[in-house]
Amino acid sequence: MSVLWRLMSDVGRSLSLGKLAPVASARLSWTVSTGVKTLENFQIRSARVEDVPIILQLIRDLATYERAPNDVTATEEQLVDVLFGERPAAEVLLAFEGKSPVGFAVYFYNFSTWLGRPGLYLEDLFVKPDKRGKGYGRALLIELAKIARDRECGRMEWAVLDWNEPAIKFYRALGAKPMHEWTVFRLTRDGIASLADSGRVDQPASAKGSGAARLASLARRKK
């Protein structure tokens, strides 16, 4: 279902939005309160395999915004496999202004043992800087909330960088609460491999020799 938003002011317009009204199901219509500009061709849809180049470019744009442009190692081939292969690891919503991609949301499902329900985890939410202030980020979150509701998720979660004050204020305004008592831990690929290999029992040659000597001694005692 699509919705109509009226932005209340140019200052902080990404945070304060007006009442909702239904519009045509194929698109979202947005009107700036000053009447200077009207966009009737904003659309959110699920990504398809042919959208992989768009997704990768948005990932790179996000990395640049988060001050880590050289950290992206994903390739189109990888994204085709992990997003649209036999076992998709995540799903993607794409936002378009006309035919131009302006943002995306990447999400997957975790699980709450206490609730006994799946949860929707938002890995990435990004709107191009020059397209902000129009409510596109909020529109993406609303679509995610609908998905979480319809799939009976117990919660929605995401992380935000400590220095990203505009995003923090935005999320608070939506009613989201920071989880101050939790600390995120992470293992990278090297760390994962190191931990996985730590379970192997590879005895040194000296230990094997000692073991062989002990077995021989036990055998002699039995005789």
Side-chain angles (χ1 to χ4, degrees):
M1 180 182 292
S2 300
V3 293
L4 174 66
W5 294 90
R6 179 171 299 277
L7 303 185
M8 300 302 294
S9 66
D10 291 330
V11 180
R13 55 189 172 180
S14 63
L15 297 178
S16 56
L17 301 176
K19 294 183 179 180
L20 306 178
V23 294
S25 60
R27 62 179 57 183
L28 298 177
S29 178
W30 304 78
T31 304
V32 175
S33 60
T34 58
V36 174
K37 187 177 183 181
T38 300
L39 297 175
E40 296 182 350
N41 56 353
F42 174 68
Q43 180 186 7
I44 295 174
R45 65 167 173 80
S46 296
R48 301 184 285 260
V49 66
E50 60 266 26
D51 296 317
V52 163
I54 294 174
I55 296 170
L56 182 55
Q57 185 56 56
L58 288 168
I59 290 172
R60 290 170 175 162
D61 292 343
L62 171 60
T64 298
Y65 175 75
E66 293 189 347
R67 308 172 185 175
N70 299 321
D71 287 359
V72 177
T73 61
T75 66
E76 291 185 11
E77 291 76 14
Q78 286 176 318
L79 293 178
V80 168
D81 182 48
V82 299
L83 296 178
F84 302 99
E86 292 183 4
R87 298 177 60 185
E91 298 179 54
V92 182
L93 292 178
L94 291 174
F96 291 87
E97 189 178 278
K99 295 183 179 180
S100 177
V102 295
F104 77 145
V106 181
Y107 63 99
F108 56 89
Y109 297 95
N110 52 23
F111 182 75
S112 169
T113 53
W114 287 16
L115 297 177
R117 291 183 179 277
L120 188 151
Y121 188 86
L122 175 58
E123 175 67 16
D124 288 328
L125 176 70
F126 178 70
V127 175
K128 292 183 177 181
D130 63 331
K131 298 298 181 179
R132 293 176 186 174
K134 300 178 179 181
Y136 295 168
R138 179 165 182 150
L140 282 164
L141 282 168
I142 289 171
E143 292 301 312
L144 289 169
K146 292 177 182 178
I147 292 170
R149 177 197 63 195
D150 294 345
R151 298 185 187 182
E152 299 186 347
C153 293
R155 60 193 181 194
M156 282 177 58
E157 295 178 307
W158 59 92
V160 60
L161 291 166
D162 291 340
W163 55 260
N164 196 346
E165 285 297 332
I168 292 171
K169 291 179 181 178
F170 173 61
Y171 295 141
R172 284 182 179 274
L174 295 177
K177 298 178 180 179
M179 306 294 289
H180 292 303
E181 66 272 28
W182 292 89
T183 299
V184 176
F185 284 83
R186 175 179 293 174
L187 283 174
T188 60
R189 290 189 67 182
D190 289 343
I192 292 170
S194 177
L195 179 59
D197 291 341
S198 70
R200 296 186 348 193
V201 180
D202 294 328
Q203 292 183 336
S206 60
K208 292 179 181 178
S210 299
R214 287 195 296 272
L215 287 174
S217 176
L218 287 172
R220 287 194 297 270
R221 290 177 185 177
K222 289 181 179 179
K223 290 180 180 179

